[in-house]
Amino acid sequence: MEFSIEVTGLTETEKLAKNLTKYIMNGTVILLSGDLGAGKTTFTQFMGVHLDVKRRMSSPTFNIIKSYQGKFTVHHMDCYRLEGSDEDMGFDEYFNGEDVAIIEWPEFIQDFLPPEYLDINIEYLSEDARLYHFKAYGEHYIKLLEDLEDDYAND
C-alpha cells in the first residue's frame, strides 16, 4: 500500500502529522527519509506534540537516539552519523512492540530494522512545499495508511 500527499507550509505539515498520530499504537516504527533540509525533524516534532511529548523533540544527531515520554515512550533516532558503520547499537531494544520508534536516515541501519514499518519519504518541492510518500510494510501499516488516506479523501 502506498499513499502520497503534497503539503504546503507548516500548518498543513502539522495537520498531516496530527492525522498520522491518530493511528500510531504501541510498537509502531516509522522511517523518515529525504534529503537534508526536507523536514524530517520538523515532521517528527509535530508528531511529538500530538503524541503528548512534553519536551521539544530535537535532532539526536550527536546522541543517535533520544527517548521521550508521552502517550507512548517515543525513541527518536537520527542515524545519519552511522553511514558506513555496521555496528549494532542494540536497536532491537527499541523495536520492542511497546514503544514507538521514529528513525531518520534509516538506510544506514537497514540490516537492523524490523520487517514491518511505515516508510515515509519527504520530497522537497520548494521552500514551502513537500511531497510525502508513504509506503506500508505489514498489515498494521497497510491499515494505518488506508485510514490516513480516508482522512484526506473525506476532507
Side-chain angles (χ1 to χ4, degrees):
M1 166 82 189
E2 296 183 35
F3 169 65
S4 295
I5 186 166
E6 183 176 336
V7 298
T8 305
L10 292 177
T11 301
E12 287 186 18
T13 302
E14 181 173 11
K15 178 183 175 189
L16 179 58
K18 180 180 180 180
N19 285 340
L20 175 60
T21 60
K22 292 188 304 190
Y23 305 111
I24 289 177
M25 54 191 273
N26 288 22
T28 297
V29 176
I30 296 174
L31 311 184
L32 286 172
S33 57
D35 291 335
L36 282 171
K40 296 177 293 294
T41 301
T42 298
F43 192 69
T44 298
Q45 290 169 338
F46 284 137
M47 283 193 292
V49 167
H50 296 287
L51 291 172
D52 294 334
V53 169
K54 301 303 178 212
R55 294 183 358 223
R56 184 175 186 269
M57 295 177 76
S58 58
S59 180
T61 300
F62 297 105
N63 299 59
I64 308 296
I65 302 167
K66 288 186 180 178
S67 297
Y68 301 88
Q69 294 302 314
K71 290 180 186 175
F72 309 95
T73 298
V74 179
H75 305 293
H76 180 204
M77 304 176 190
D78 184 332
C79 299
Y80 184 74
R81 289 188 33 225
L82 297 177
E83 182 177 15
S85 172
D86 61 357
E87 181 181 351
D88 181 354
M89 299 180 65
F91 292 108
D92 56 335
E93 293 177 30
Y94 299 97
F95 311 134
N96 57 27
E98 290 297 316
D99 302 341
V100 171
I102 302 170
I103 305 146
E104 297 183 36
W105 301 98
E107 59 269 29
F108 299 133
I109 63 164
Q110 194 70 42
D111 292 342
F112 304 107
L113 295 173
E116 297 187 359
Y117 51 82
L118 179 64
D119 183 36
I120 304 172
N121 182 280
I122 305 172
E123 183 180 343
Y124 181 97
L125 299 178
S126 71
E127 185 65 34
D128 292 325
R130 304 291 188 272
L131 184 60
Y132 285 76
H133 301 280
F134 294 84
K135 190 168 184 180
Y137 293 87
E139 290 303 315
H140 162 67
Y141 299 99
I142 290 169
K143 173 75 170 113
L144 184 156
L145 268 192
E146 289 171 347
D147 291 341
L148 184 63
E149 188 174 29
D150 286 347
D151 283 349
Y152 282 90
N154 298 319
D155 195 16

